Amino acid sequence: MNEEKLDLILNVVTDIQGRVNKLENEFTGFKGEFADLKGEFTGFKGEFADLKGEFTGFKGEFADLKNEFKDFKKQVGQALISLNHRVDMLEKQVFSIGVELKEEIRRETGDIRHDITRLENKIMLEQAEKLEDRSEKLKQEVKVRELESRITKIEEKLRLAA
């Protein structure tokens, strides 16, 4: 073989070796990027698990609030039944008393029944408002978490596109 052919072969081998080195470097870069993406994905999985846990906690709190409201409603109902029973007993006793006193007691028991009804309505309204406020706060917190998750996804897409 002559020297020109050897130089040509040497140049081709050197060129091929340079290309192989370049491909190896790019592959190493890709491996690093893949490792970074894998780490970010693992991070996202952790964040998702955290959000899922928080959402489960919110559901539990909401269920507790519903149970608390049911218990309170039951207690108020029992108290009002007791008061109504006492008023019934007073009305029965009125029959054995004189006419003037009967009328006075009837008015008083009527006023008491009216006050009981007003109190019951007020208490139920206040409890419903509290429950609604708590429910709204929980809904807002869930919405914020959803928005944060969407922003994170957009940021990730931008990183991947860059």
Side-chain angles (χ1 to χ4, degrees), residues 19-135:
R19 289 181 184 180
V20 167
N21 288 340
K22 183 178 176 185
L23 287 174
E24 284 177 346
N25 288 337
E26 287 179 6
F27 182 72
T28 302
F30 288 142
K31 281 174 53 178
E33 288 178 20
F34 180 76
D36 291 345
L37 287 174
K38 187 176 177 182
E40 288 180 23
F41 180 72
T42 301
F44 288 142
K45 282 174 54 178
E47 289 176 20
F48 180 74
D50 291 346
L51 287 173
K52 186 176 178 182
E54 287 180 29
F55 183 70
T56 301
F58 290 146
K59 284 173 53 177
E61 288 178 27
F62 188 71
D64 290 346
L65 287 174
K66 283 175 68 176
N67 289 333
E68 181 181 314
F69 181 70
K70 286 178 185 176
D71 290 344
F72 177 76
K73 186 177 176 183
K74 183 179 178 182
Q75 290 171 358
V76 167
Q78 289 171 345
L80 293 174
I81 288 170
S82 174
L83 288 173
N84 278 321
H85 179 69
R86 288 175 62 194
V87 169
D88 288 342
M89 295 302 291
L90 286 173
E91 284 179 339
K92 287 177 183 177
Q93 291 174 359
V94 166
F95 290 112
S96 63
I97 302 174
V99 175
E100 284 184 26
L101 193 52
K102 282 183 183 181
E103 190 56 39
E104 182 182 334
I105 291 175
R106 281 190 184 138
R107 275 195 309 268
E108 187 65 29
T109 56
D111 290 345
I112 291 172
R113 283 192 192 278
H114 183 281
D115 289 344
I116 289 171
T117 302
R118 269 195 5 234
L119 178 61
E120 179 183 29
N121 290 338
K122 181 180 177 185
I123 289 171
M124 291 301 169
L125 181 62
E126 287 174 358
Q127 287 301 312
E129 288 173 355
K130 286 180 184 178
L131 185 60
E132 186 176 312
D133 288 346
R134 288 180 181 172
S135 174

Side-chain angles (χ1 to χ4, degrees), residues 33 37 40 152-162:
E33 288 178 20
L37 287 174
E40 288 180 23
T152 302
K153 288 177 184 176
I154 291 170
E155 289 172 341
E156 177 59 25
K157 285 179 183 180
L158 289 174
R159 272 192 291 241
L160 291 175

